[in-house]
Amino acid sequence: MRLRADLVLLLVAALWGSAFVAQRAAGLLGSVYVFNAMRFLLAGALLLPFVLRSRLRRGQLWWMCAAGTVLFLASALQQAGIRSTSAGNAGFLTSLYVVLVPIILFLVWRERLQPRSIVAVGLAAIGAYLLSAAGPMGMNAGDLLQLGGAGLWALHVVLLGKFAFRYDAVAFSAGQLLIGGGLSWAGSAILEPPTFPLPPTLVHAILYTAVVSLGLGYTLQIWGQRHTPPTDAALILSLESVFAALGGAIILKERYAPIQIVGCAVIIIAVLLSQVRASSKISVTTDGLQRTSGEP
């Protein structure tokens, strides 16, 4: 059962990583707000049948709105950035949110900062520089937006870890997705009015990220983590960035210079180091759904 669960979580990491390829395809069409709005609203609607009987608890609506707002901002930066950077770069730079979580906990909540977290931040900075600034094209606006998004994803993780554990996980996820989708739809009305019919490529990207990445991936992740220790699950799921790069190379024909490959390796080391002994942490996918349960 343990091996089967590990393989299921590896599949989940592949599904989440491949979502960056779909996001890149949508980004090449220039879609940011329409894409985010429709995939979040669809994913939230898919979860609604499982939460119709649940009742809002005190404070739940407030924290769902807070998480949904951060989800909207983080996904907007990520999707805007992926228009001018590769799926692989987006995956690796976004994964730095794992390293930034302890920093936010230290700065805002004054929680103790472990020495390994400081080392992980240093390695992450080096890896990001090698991947982006030291690459053949240098750091572009897309990479900078991904780094900004990583900071917001880290804040999103902290919000979930501090407050979301009090409420039903599926109900909270559905709520924040619908709120994030609603804000994205409002953004599209102002900045990116949709034109119908939508391009087939955009429709496919929306369906894939909503149904496969969010819906199927989340369901499999819940089952897998019931039979795998949290630390092992976190390490397996951190391979999401590797699958993003592999998907970009195979499907989108993205290529990396040797110095960028070194940068990817350094980022992986930083992420893994930051997760050592993090068995009680809560984490989150870059689509806004919980990965591991517990309170930081």
Side-chain angles (χ1 to χ4, degrees), residues 131-204:
L131 176 62
S132 301
M137 303 299 293
M139 181 171 285
N140 57 37
D143 290 335
L144 292 174
L145 288 172
Q146 297 302 330
L147 289 172
L152 287 171
W153 288 124
L155 176 60
H156 189 257
V157 168
V158 172
L159 287 178
L160 292 187
K162 287 290 184 182
F163 307 105
F165 75 95
R166 305 172 184 173
Y167 313 110
D168 178 78
V170 178
F172 195 95
S173 294
Q176 67 167 345
L177 283 168
L178 292 175
I179 291 167
L183 291 174
S184 297
W185 191 258
S188 72
I190 300 172
L191 302 171
E192 187 188 322
T195 55
F196 296 97
L198 298 176
T201 300
L202 181 58
V203 174
H204 295 159

Side-chain angles (χ1 to χ4, degrees), residues 133-293:
M137 303 299 293
M139 181 171 285
N140 57 37
D143 290 335
L144 292 174
L145 288 172
Q146 297 302 330
L147 289 172
L152 287 171
W153 288 124
L155 176 60
H156 189 257
V157 168
V158 172
L159 287 178
L160 292 187
K162 287 290 184 182
F163 307 105
F165 75 95
R166 305 172 184 173
Y167 313 110
D168 178 78
V170 178
F172 195 95
S173 294
Q176 67 167 345
L177 283 168
L178 292 175
I179 291 167
L183 291 174
S184 297
W185 191 258
S188 72
I190 300 172
L191 302 171
E192 187 188 322
T195 55
F196 296 97
L198 298 176
T201 300
L202 181 58
V203 174
H204 295 159
I206 291 169
L207 291 175
Y208 184 84
T209 53
V211 178
V212 177
S213 175
L214 290 176
L216 179 61
Y218 179 55
T219 303
L220 292 177
Q221 172 255 333
I222 292 175
W223 182 87
Q225 286 193 206
R226 288 176 179 172
H227 307 285
T228 297
T231 302
D232 290 6
L235 294 177
I236 295 172
L237 292 172
S238 68
L239 295 175
E240 172 186 359
S241 58
V242 176
F243 284 108
L246 289 175
I250 295 172
I251 299 174
L252 302 177
K253 309 301 180 185
E254 296 175 351
R255 296 294 180 263
Y256 296 88
I259 191 68
Q260 291 179 292
I261 296 176
V262 174
C264 293
V266 174
I267 288 175
I268 292 176
I269 293 172
V271 171
L272 295 179
L273 178 63
S274 69
Q275 294 190 19
V276 172
R277 297 180 183 176
S279 60
S280 64
K281 297 294 183 183
I282 189 168
S283 187
V284 69
T285 74
T286 49
D287 284 313
L289 292 177
Q290 293 173 327
R291 276 185 185 163
T292 59
S293 59

Side-chain angles (χ1 to χ4, degrees), residues 57-140:
R57 296 177 58 189
R58 184 177 180 180
Q60 182 173 350
L61 181 59
W62 164 256
W63 290 116
M64 284 196 305
C65 288
T69 300
V70 176
L71 175 64
F72 157 69
L73 295 172
S75 61
L77 285 182
Q78 183 184 71
Q79 189 59 26
I82 208 169
R83 294 183 300 178
S84 56
T85 192
S86 67
N89 275 33
F92 277 103
L93 294 175
T94 298
S95 71
L96 294 178
Y97 78 87
V98 177
V99 179
L100 297 176
V101 166
I103 305 301
I104 291 179
L105 290 172
F106 170 73
L107 293 176
V108 180
W109 280 272
R110 298 301 178 185
E111 294 193 10
R112 182 181 178 185
L113 188 62
Q114 299 292 336
R116 68 173 182 275
S117 297
I118 300 175
V119 175
V121 169
L123 289 174
I126 294 172
Y129 175 82
L130 295 177
L131 176 62
S132 301
M137 303 299 293
M139 181 171 285
N140 57 37

Side-chain angles (χ1 to χ4, degrees), residues 10-75:
L10 186 63
L11 173 61
V12 172
L15 295 178
W16 284 338
S18 64
F20 282 96
V21 178
Q23 288 182 248
R24 173 64 172 161
L28 290 173
L29 295 174
S31 182
V32 175
Y33 299 100
V34 172
F35 172 70
N36 283 338
M38 300 195 76
R39 69 186 179 118
F40 286 150
L41 291 175
L42 177 57
L46 290 174
L47 292 177
L48 280 181
F50 302 99
V51 301
L52 289 178
R53 294 185 179 181
S54 63
R55 294 183 178 180
L56 285 176
R57 296 177 58 189
R58 184 177 180 180
Q60 182 173 350
L61 181 59
W62 164 256
W63 290 116
M64 284 196 305
C65 288
T69 300
V70 176
L71 175 64
F72 157 69
L73 295 172
S75 61

